[in-house]
Amino acid sequence: GQQVMQIPQYQHVQEGEDFTTYCNSSTTLSNIQWYKQRPGGHPVFLIQLVKSGEVKKQKRLTFQFGEAKKNSSLHITATQTTDVGTYFCAGLGGNQFYFGTGTSLTVIP
Amino acid sequence: GAVVSQHPSWVICKSGTSVKIECRSLDFQATTMFWYRQFPKQSLMLMATSNEGSKATYEQGVEKDKFLINHASLTLSTLTVTSAHPEDSSFYICSAPDAGGGNEKLFFGSGTQLSVL
C-alpha cells in the first residue's frame, strides 16, 4: 500500500537555527500538503503543492515538491519557539490523503 | 476557514461498552470525511473514508464491525467503537476536505481521546 515516510523523526534545534524535514512517497502523488500539529492539538493545514518542482514560501517556511512528485521538503529558516510541533506531509493518492510519519520539532530557547 | 467540530473531546469507558464519536462540518458540506487514529508521538493512521449516503471504505486491517461508520448527512459522520477494549485506547480524529476555491485542504476536528479501562 501507499507509504509516506518522513525524516528525521525528531529534531532538536537551538532557536535561530534552520530546520528541514523530508517527505518521501513510495508512489507518485497528485499533490502534497503540509500540516502542523502543536502538542495536544490537531493538524492545521499549511500549504499545498501541485506542480512538479514547485517551490512555495510562507515567511520563514519554504516548501518544495520534487520533480518526480514523489518527494517534498519543508525548510524553516531561523527557527523560533513558536515553530514547535510536529510537521506532517500528506500525499493525495487516488482520493485519499496519506500522512507521512511526521517530524517532531523542538526548539530550544 | 472551514470548521469541523468533533465531540466528545475525551471519553473514558469500561471495557465492553460502545463509544460514539461525532464529526460535524459546521459551515460547509462534506460528502467525504476521513477518520484517523493517532498513537502518542506517531503519525495519523487512516482508518476509513466515510461517504455520505453510502458505505464507508475501510483501510486494510481495520475491522469494519469494530469501527462502525455512519455518514447520514452532508454535515455529520459518526464513528462508533463497538465493544471497546483497552487496546482501542487512542486519539481518534476526523477530517473533511473543503474544495472551496479549488484547494482541497483538510480541516480537522479537535480529536477524541478515548481511554478504555
Side-chain angles (χ1 to χ4, degrees):
Chain A
Q2 181 109 21
Q3 289 189 345
V4 182
M5 303 298 293
Q6 273 181 260
I7 55 171
Q9 187 175 3
Y10 301 97
Q11 184 78 59
H12 291 69
V13 299
Q14 288 287 145
E15 188 174 16
E17 291 182 339
D18 293 353
F19 159 77
T20 304
T21 173
Y22 301 90
C23 177
N24 293 285
S25 169
S26 58
T27 59
T28 302
L29 301 168
S30 304
N31 66 40
I32 195 147
Q33 299 180 349
W34 285 90
Y35 292 81
K36 177 182 178 181
Q37 184 177 24
R38 292 182 181 276
H42 60 275
V44 174
F45 175 85
L46 293 177
I47 207 160
Q48 173 175 275
L49 304 169
V50 179
K51 300 177 183 176
S52 169
E54 188 171 12
V55 178
K56 286 188 176 180
K57 290 190 175 184
Q58 285 181 351
K59 297 183 180 179
R60 296 179 293 104
L61 278 61
T62 303
F63 304 84
Q64 287 189 309
F65 200 10
E67 294 290 341
K69 302 184 76 173
K70 295 178 71 173
N71 57 72
S72 180
S73 65
L74 157 61
H75 180 82
I76 302 178
T77 303
T79 55
Q80 300 175 357
T81 54
T82 53
D83 296 325
V84 166
T86 300
Y87 293 84
F88 293 100
C89 61
L92 181 61
N95 62 348
Q96 294 175 336
F97 290 90
Y98 293 93
F99 278 78
T101 45
T103 296
S104 176
L105 173 64
T106 300
V107 179
I108 304 166
Chain B
V3 177
V4 174
S5 175
Q6 187 172 342
H7 177 80
S9 298
W10 59 274
V11 59
I12 302 172
C13 69
K14 292 182 179 180
S15 185
T17 60
S18 294
V19 175
K20 180 186 280 189
I21 302 169
E22 293 187 349
C23 183
R24 295 180 185 273
S25 56
L26 296 186
D27 50 1
F28 67 103
Q29 294 182 333
T31 55
T32 299
M33 288 190 179
F34 301 103
W35 286 94
Y36 294 88
R37 185 173 180 176
Q38 187 177 33
F39 291 103
K41 299 186 178 182
Q42 294 191 22
S43 185
L44 293 92
M45 183 190 78
L46 180 65
M47 297 175 64
T49 302
S50 166
N51 303 297
E52 188 270 334
S54 63
K55 291 183 179 180
T57 303
Y58 289 82
E59 293 299 297
Q60 190 173 9
V62 178
E63 299 176 57
K64 56 183 67 177
D65 294 331
K66 173 75 172 178
F67 300 99
L68 299 179
I69 289 175
N70 183 279
H71 196 153
S73 77
L74 287 171
T75 59
L76 174 63
S77 176
T78 61
L79 166 68
T80 301
V81 183
T82 62
S83 187
H85 291 283
E87 57 265 30
D88 298 324
S89 299
S90 187
F91 186 65
Y92 294 87
I93 192 164
C94 66
S95 71
D98 177 16
N103 186 10
E104 194 165 302
K105 64 178 81 169
L106 289 178
F107 291 91
F108 284 83
S110 53
T112 298
Q113 183 65 51
L114 171 63
S115 296
V116 184
L117 304 178

